Amino acid sequence: MPAPERLPAPGVSATGELEELLAKGELTVVGRIREASNAVLLCSVAYGGLTADCVYKPVKGERPLWDFPDGNLAQREVAAYLVSEATGWGLVPPTVLRDGPYGEGMVQQWIESAGPGGLEGAADAADSGEADEADEADEAGADGSDGPGLLALVDGEEAGEGWKPIALAEVGEGRTALLVHADDPRLRRLAVLDAVINNGDRKGGHLLPAPDGRLYGIDHGVSFHAEDKLRTLLWGWAGEPLTAEATGVLSDLAARLADGEPLATRLGELITPVELAAVRARVARLRASGVHPRPSGQWPAIPWPPV
């Protein structure tokens, strides 16, 4: 019997195959990601001669949140994937809602990251006061990899070429460093998506640069709240004009969110009517303003911990 074919990170042609594999395949739990706040199980999934690694988050393993209804974070993860696909940017790995070994839950393709999107290398350098090492971390990547990093801590109050400032951060012994993110078009698209879905938890660890150069965002369970809950590390473009690409995507998205459209119908099965109306309103505000949103001041602007 031939060995099952293992599917790579999705391209346009592979997305449908992956969705079918994730939705219909046999799930086998191989481990647990213990750092996660909710139950997150690493699985393999096999169907029709195809296999892939995936993440399974059973609803039974969700911790209650004071500001979100119990037992529906998985639905919000699927809703984020659907909106991402509607933009054409493919920023969220293929994600489905299905039954599994521990009941209904979210199943999402596992993305093998080319390196963490967090601050490990730069944070260590800034904390030790070694400015030269911090500069080297910027050049090598905030994650200590050979490629360009997505986030960094730098001395001084200037972000430097190719970086966008976020906020000053305490790094110990009364010292501060400037938290910055890369001026990267992939991150900018993700900032627009987060504004649309009202992502309340865009941490550095939720940024996954893939070996093929694509960037994915994960962990969207605390999204789609009707109130403004946007909390992110991607504030570098706040108040700046949206790109022409983003403006076009938002216009198309507004049409797809109209009553009776397939996207609106599917979202209506995953989030509440009030939350769906809020998605439409956010898209309308972005189109009317033509700029990236600024922090509202009504909600902490940056998630904690940031990575």
Side-chain angles (χ1 to χ4, degrees), residues 104-126:
E104 185 179 61
M106 179 278 282
V107 175
Q108 183 178 82
Q109 189 196 18
W110 173 268
I111 299 298
E112 193 64 44
S113 177
L119 298 160
E120 289 81 358
D124 291 342

Side-chain angles (χ1 to χ4, degrees), residues 68-145:
F68 282 84
D70 290 349
N72 72 356
L73 303 188
Q75 287 94 317
R76 295 168 191 275
E77 297 248 30
V78 177
Y81 169 65
L82 295 176
V83 175
S84 169
E85 287 299 286
T87 67
W89 287 332
L91 295 169
V92 179
T95 310
V96 301
L97 189 68
R98 57 162 289 178
D99 194 36
Y102 299 100
E104 185 179 61
M106 179 278 282
V107 175
Q108 183 178 82
Q109 189 196 18
W110 173 268
I111 299 298
E112 193 64 44
S113 177
L119 298 160
E120 289 81 358
D124 291 342
D127 192 42
S128 65
E130 298 173 358
D132 291 341
E133 288 187 20
D135 291 340
E136 291 172 4
D138 294 344
E139 295 172 3
D143 52 31
S145 65

Side-chain angles (χ1 to χ4, degrees), residues 7-291:
L7 286 177
V12 174
S13 61
T15 301
E17 281 186 299
L18 277 163
E19 287 184 6
E20 183 177 39
L21 171 61
L22 295 172
K24 298 181 179 179
E26 181 180 357
L27 285 175
T28 302
V29 177
V30 297
R32 180 175 180 179
I33 301 174
R34 297 190 178 278
E35 295 82 2
S37 57
N38 296 305
V40 181
L41 304 176
L42 179 62
C43 299
S44 65
V45 59
Y47 177 77
L50 299 176
T51 184
D53 296 326
C54 62
V55 169
Y56 165 48
K57 298 182 180 180
V59 171
K60 291 178 180 178
E62 295 178 4
R63 294 184 180 180
L65 298 173
W66 68 270
D67 52 347
F68 282 84
D70 290 349
N72 72 356
L73 303 188
Q75 287 94 317
R76 295 168 191 275
E77 297 248 30
V78 177
Y81 169 65
L82 295 176
V83 175
S84 169
E85 287 299 286
T87 67
W89 287 332
L91 295 169
V92 179
T95 310
V96 301
L97 189 68
R98 57 162 289 178
D99 194 36
Y102 299 100
E104 185 179 61
M106 179 278 282
V107 175
Q108 183 178 82
Q109 189 196 18
W110 173 268
I111 299 298
E112 193 64 44
S113 177
L119 298 160
E120 289 81 358
D124 291 342
D127 192 42
S128 65
E130 298 173 358
D132 291 341
E133 288 187 20
D135 291 340
E136 291 172 4
D138 294 344
E139 295 172 3
D143 52 31
S145 65
D146 293 332
L150 299 176
L151 299 166
L153 288 168
V154 298
D155 287 330
E157 298 182 358
E158 297 294 330
E161 185 176 357
W163 296 92
K164 304 291 286 186
I166 306 170
L168 287 171
E170 294 184 6
V171 294
E173 299 180 356
R175 298 180 60 252
T176 60
L178 184 64
L179 178 61
V180 299
H181 66 67
D183 189 4
D184 186 312
R186 301 171 302 171
L187 287 180
R188 192 165 190 172
R189 291 168 181 158
L190 196 57
V192 174
L193 176 65
D194 283 345
V196 169
I197 69 174
N198 198 17
N199 189 356
D201 196 30
R202 176 61 71 205
K203 295 175 176 157
H206 298 168
L207 304 172
L208 300 181
D212 64 0
R214 296 184 63 176
L215 176 68
Y216 294 94
I218 60 170
D219 285 350
H220 299 101
V222 287
S223 298
F224 294 100
H225 202 286
E227 299 176 9
D228 184 5
K229 300 266 187 184
L230 184 59
R231 191 164 58 171
T232 175
L233 289 179
L234 305 181
W235 287 116
W237 296 283
E240 293 188 17
L242 295 166
T243 65
E245 177 193 44
T247 300
V249 164
L250 289 169
S251 296
D252 184 58
L253 191 57
R256 290 170 179 258
L257 288 168
D259 283 337
E261 290 295 316
L263 176 63
T265 300
R266 184 70 180 108
L267 289 179
E269 299 168 353
L270 297 167
I271 59 178
T272 69
V274 172
E275 289 167 341
L276 179 54
V279 176
R280 293 173 174 141
R282 286 191 294 271
V283 171
R285 284 198 301 270
L286 286 167
R287 296 178 66 200
S289 71
V291 300

